[in-house]
Amino acid sequence: MTEFASREVRRRGLTQASVEAVAEALEISGRGAELNLRHVIRMLTRGEGVEAAGVHH
């Protein structure tokens, strides 16, 4: 799962912050929560949306 997420992060050109967020979610999933590829794809898609929206103050 982590390998897939790493490839997708690079392919999508996401920032280091997004990479770390996905890695943390995958680490947490190793402690009981069941994540599948669909979950990882949704996280990456949301990360893209957040990065595209930028920061609003």
Side-chain angles (χ1 to χ4, degrees), residues 1-48:
M1 192 78 64
T2 303
E3 200 172 303
F4 170 78
S6 295
R7 279 194 315 270
E8 279 298 298
V9 162
R10 285 192 302 273
R11 187 181 73 77
R12 294 174 186 227
L14 297 176
T15 63
Q16 186 62 31
S18 291
V19 171
E20 291 171 5
V22 171
E24 184 176 344
L26 291 173
E27 180 183 322
I28 290 168
S29 74
R31 293 187 232 149
E34 294 286 329
L35 289 181
N36 59 37
L37 289 179
R38 182 179 290 173
H39 293 121
V40 174
I41 290 168
R42 286 180 181 166
M43 283 190 283
L44 294 169
T45 301
R46 288 182 181 136
E48 283 180 314

